[in-house]
Amino acid sequence: MRFHSLFLLVLSLLGTAALAADTSDAGLPPPAKAECGPELGEAQRAVAEGRLDEALVLARKSAEGCPGARLLAARLLARQAQFDEASTFLERELLSPAPSPGAFELLVSLFPRLSPARQEQVVALGASREAPLHVGGLAQANLWLTDIVCRERRLDKLDTKDVRGSGLGSYGFECPPGVPRQVFFFMTEPRSPRRPASGKGAGLAVERVLPELGSRFGIHSTQELREAVEGPLSADRGSVWLLSWLKDYPSQLPLLTQMVRESPDDLDAVVNLSNIQILFGDLKGALRTLDAVPLDTVTLKDSRGNVMGTSALFSMRCRALLQQRKLKEAEAACRTALERGSKKNGPETLALVLYLRGQDAEALRFIRASLADTQKNPAGHFLHGLILRSLGKPEEAALAWKAAADYGLTPTVEAQRKRSRENWVRAMEAYQRKQTAEELAFCGHYYLDLEFPERAEVCFARAESLHPGPAAAERLIHQAESDPVAALRATDALLRKERNPALLYVMAFGLQRENQPALALRWLDESLRGDPSQPGARELLTRICKQLSQPDCLEQFRKGK
C-alpha cells in the first residue's frame, strides 16, 4: 500500500491528482477530436464521473489511432500499478509523429518501476533513423540519455554534431565508457529564436563552463544553454545536474525538495538537498530532511554523482549538528559515518568536532585520515595546522599551512594566533559562507550572460544574504567584459569606501582588459595577498603573464624584478 500511495503522489505532481475531477483541471488529454472516435470523449466523461475501470476499457478501444487515448490509458494503468502495460502505450506515443504533452515525462517517471525486461525495451527505443523518438527539444533528449539510457552509468564521448535544431538528428555516445551507442531523435519543437547580441557582455563566464556541458549535456553554445534553462525545469536528475554547473542552488532547492518528496529513499537527492540547506543556513530543515530518510530502504539511484553511500547521510548530519554546536550528537553522527565507510568528509568533520572539544591527539588522527584520502583540501590542511599548533608542534603546523596556501584564512594564522578554538571554527564557517556566496555570484554572472536578469538577481540576492561583497564584484566583472572603463570607474569609487580582495581583483580584471598588464599585476598581487583563493585569480594571472611575455610574472614582481 505504501508503494501504491507513493506512486499516486508522483502522478498527482504530473497533473493527474484528480482523475475523477473535471478534465480541465486534471491534466488529461485535450477534448476528443473526430479522428479519435467517440470512445475517447466517453472515456474522459467516465473519468470525470469516477468510473475509472470503464474509462480504461474505452481508452484501450480508441488507443490504436488516437494519441490522447494512449496517454489516458497509460495514466489509468499506472494508477493500478500496471506499469509495464502503461509503458507499452507510452512507447507508442513517443514513436508517433505527434506525441501527447506529458507522455515523455510520464514514461521517464515510470521507468524505475518497470520490470528489467521492459526497461531494456525502453532503452532500445530510437535505435534507428526510421523509428526515432519524438521529443520536444534538447532538454528532453538530454534527459532521455541521462535518466533512461545511461541510468546509473557514466555517459562519455557525447557527439551532438547531428543535433542542431528541429527535425531528425542523432546523438552518438558511449555508455558505459567503451560501449558505443546511438539514439535518433525527432525534435518536435522549433528552436527558440536566436537573440541578437545585446552588446552588454562578452559572455566569458558561460564560455568557461560550456566545455564541461558539451560532453555531459550536448550543449555547445550560449544559445543552446539558454534553451536548456529557459523554460520551467522538471524535478529530475538531469535538470538538477545542469543547474549545479551554473551554481544555481536557488533553482535546485525546489526541484530537489520535490524529488525527495516523491522518493524519500533517493540517497543522491537527499544528500544534495540537505547540503544546500546547510549552505543556506537552514540547519533545522537539513536535519528534518535527513530524519525522514528510511534507512532500511534508502538507495543510491544514480552512481554518477559524488555520493558514494549512506555514510554521506551521517556526514551531513554531523555538519549540521556541529554548526548548531551540539557536539556530542555531532560526534556520534560522524562516527557512524566512519563506520559506514566515509573516508573524507566524516573524518574531517569529526576532527573539527574533536578540536572544539580540546581532544587534539584524536583530532589529529582523523584529519590525517581525511587528508590521506584527498590531498587537495585546503580547509583540511588549514585545520591540520591548527591542531598541530595546539599540540605544540609549530614547525609541523607551518608545513601544514604551506599546503593550505590557497586557503583564505591562512595569511591570518600569525596575526590571529590568540584566537580561541571557537573563534577559529567560526572563522572557518564564515569563510565557507563566503565561498558559497562567490559561487552564487557566479550563478548571477552566468544568467547575465544568458540575458536572464531576473534569475541573476535571485542568485545575487542569495549571495548577498550569505556574505556581502562577491555579488557586487561579479556584477562589475560582467560589466568589465564589455565596458572596462566604466567598470574601473565604478570599482575605484567603491574602493575609496572599502578596500577588499574582491574589488582589487575587479581592478586587475578591468586593467587587463584595457591592455595594461603591469598595472593589473599590481592590483592582482594585492588581491591575492588578502585572499589567496580569490576566484578567477589564477586564470587572470595567466592572461597577464602572457601579455607581459613573462610566465612567472607574479613571482618576479614579488622579487622586485
Side-chain angles (χ1 to χ4, degrees):
M1 290 298 293
R2 178 180 178 276
F3 174 80
H4 188 58
S5 299
L6 175 62
F7 190 70
L8 285 180
L9 174 60
V10 176
L11 288 182
S12 72
L13 293 169
L14 288 169
T16 59
L19 277 169
D22 182 83
T23 55
S24 63
D25 297 325
L28 296 176
K33 296 181 180 180
E35 60 266 31
C36 285
E39 288 87 356
L40 178 57
E42 294 173 14
Q44 290 173 331
R45 284 191 292 274
V47 168
E49 295 169 6
R51 296 179 284 113
L52 303 186
D53 290 340
E54 183 180 344
L56 178 56
V57 171
L58 292 166
R60 277 176 165 149
K61 283 184 178 180
S62 188
E64 183 59 36
C66 179
R70 288 196 289 266
L71 179 58
L72 178 56
R75 285 176 166 164
L76 290 167
L77 287 163
R79 187 180 188 278
Q80 297 178 3
Q82 298 183 50
F83 304 128
D84 279 12
E85 189 177 356
S87 178
T88 301
F89 287 104
L90 295 170
E91 292 164 39
R92 290 167 61 189
E93 273 290 273
L94 296 188
L95 293 173
S96 69
S100 299
F104 176 89
E105 291 82 357
L106 183 54
L107 182 53
V108 171
S109 73
L110 287 177
F111 185 78
R113 294 162 174 85
L114 302 179
S115 67
R118 177 61 66 173
Q119 285 185 342
E120 288 185 18
Q121 184 168 319
V122 172
V123 167
L125 294 176
S128 71
R129 188 176 296 274
E130 292 72 32
L133 275 167
H134 288 73
V135 297
L138 286 172
Q140 286 192 347
N142 292 333
L143 180 59
W144 186 265
L145 298 189
T146 59
D147 282 33
I148 301 296
V149 182
C150 294
R151 184 178 178 83
E152 300 187 11
R153 294 176 296 189
R154 187 162 69 87
L155 185 152
D156 198 22
K157 297 183 180 179
L158 179 61
D159 181 2
T160 61
K161 292 192 293 291
D162 194 33
V163 180
R164 281 294 181 269
S166 58
L168 183 65
S170 69
Y171 280 72
F173 56 100
E174 292 184 1
C175 176
V179 179
R181 296 174 183 266
Q182 189 172 25
V183 178
F184 289 86
F185 294 103
F186 190 97
M187 308 288 183
T188 60
E189 295 176 1
R191 297 283 298 273
S192 300
R194 188 174 293 276
R195 289 192 174 191
S198 65
K200 294 181 180 180
L204 293 183
V206 163
E207 287 178 8
R208 283 195 295 269
V209 79
L210 281 175
E212 302 292 344
L213 302 182
S215 62
R216 291 171 172 84
F217 301 94
I219 295 171
H220 297 278
S221 68
T222 299
Q223 176 70 7
E224 289 174 348
L225 181 55
R226 287 194 82 264
E227 292 173 7
V229 300
E230 188 169 17
L233 295 174
S234 56
D236 57 68
R237 225 171 299 279
S239 298
V240 170
W241 281 352
L242 177 56
L243 292 171
S244 73
W245 283 99
L246 301 181
K247 309 299 182 186
D248 189 357
Y249 305 140
S251 295
Q252 282 183 281
L253 188 60
L255 299 184
L256 285 166
T257 300
Q258 183 176 335
M259 288 175 67
V260 171
R261 187 185 301 122
E262 294 175 10
S263 299
D265 59 352
D266 186 335
L267 179 60
D268 183 73
V270 169
V271 170
N272 283 296
L273 173 58
S274 60
N275 180 55
I276 292 177
Q277 289 171 318
I278 291 172
L279 291 177
F280 285 1
D282 183 12
L283 304 179
K284 291 182 179 179
L287 290 170
R288 282 195 299 270
T289 296
L290 295 166
D291 285 340
V293 177
L295 288 175
D296 55 336
T297 60
V298 67
T299 306
L300 182 60
K301 300 184 183 297
D302 199 317
S303 60
R304 290 169 293 163
N306 293 323
V307 179
M308 297 293 109
T310 56
S311 64
L313 297 170
F314 294 92
S315 295
M316 287 292 167
R317 177 179 294 280
C318 184
R319 277 178 58 195
L321 291 167
L322 168 61
Q323 291 189 31
Q324 290 182 334
R325 294 300 185 267
K326 296 180 179 179
L327 300 186
K328 186 175 181 180
E329 295 174 55
E331 181 178 346
C334 268
R335 291 189 184 277
T336 302
L338 267 65
E339 291 169 3
R340 289 176 175 252
S342 178
K343 297 189 183 320
K344 177 187 178 292
N345 295 327
E348 181 181 355
T349 312
L350 180 55
L352 201 52
V353 172
L354 294 169
Y355 171 73
L356 267 177
R357 302 184 75 175
Q359 298 171 230
D360 294 327
E362 196 173 8
L364 182 64
R365 181 163 62 90
F366 285 111
I367 192 59
R368 284 179 169 171
S370 176
L371 291 172
D373 182 72
T374 308
Q375 275 290 313
K376 293 183 178 180
N377 181 5
H381 286 293
F382 181 78
L383 175 60
H384 189 200
L386 290 181
I387 296 169
L388 287 166
R389 183 162 68 180
S390 294
L391 287 167
K393 300 180 179 182
E395 295 83 5
E396 292 182 51
L399 290 174
W401 288 325
K402 186 176 180 180
D406 289 340
Y407 188 65
L409 294 178
T410 301
T412 71
V413 289
E414 290 304 322
Q416 301 291 337
R417 61 183 303 118
K418 292 185 179 180
R419 265 183 179 165
S420 66
R421 295 170 186 264
E422 173 66 28
N423 285 339
W424 274 120
V425 174
R426 287 185 182 277
M428 293 178 73
E429 290 170 345
Y431 191 72
Q432 173 63 67
R433 288 193 295 273
K434 173 180 174 291
Q435 291 179 310
T436 303
E438 288 166 348
E439 292 179 341
L440 287 161
F442 277 131
C443 169
H445 193 159
Y446 290 138
Y447 283 127
L448 288 180
D449 283 353
L450 295 171
E451 299 187 36
F452 292 133
E454 298 84 2
R455 290 170 75 167
E457 288 307 313
V458 173
C459 292
F460 284 138
R462 178 64 80 166
E464 193 70 15
S465 72
L466 292 176
H467 186 91
E474 205 62 40
R475 290 179 196 272
L476 289 167
I477 291 168
H478 179 263
Q479 183 183 25
E481 290 173 356
S482 59
D483 191 351
V485 174
L488 287 168
R489 190 182 307 117
T491 307
D492 182 63
L494 291 174
L495 280 168
R496 295 175 191 276
K497 301 175 184 177
E498 180 187 10
R499 201 172 185 85
N500 66 56
L503 292 176
L504 295 168
Y505 171 81
V506 177
M507 288 295 289
F509 184 92
L511 288 166
Q512 187 273 327
R513 298 282 288 182
E514 280 289 279
N515 201 29
Q516 299 184 56
L519 277 175
L521 185 60
R522 292 177 180 273
W523 288 97
L524 183 59
D525 173 56
E526 186 178 351
S527 173
L528 287 172
R529 289 182 187 277
D531 183 359
S533 65
Q534 180 62 42
R538 299 301 167 187
E539 181 183 345
L540 176 58
L541 178 60
T542 299
R543 296 201 300 271
I544 292 172
C545 290
K546 186 175 181 180
Q547 285 179 319
L548 292 170
S549 300
Q550 193 175 29
D552 57 347
C553 64
L554 182 60
E555 182 181 350
Q556 296 302 317
F557 175 79
R558 289 178 173 176
K559 289 179 178 178
K561 296 181 180 180

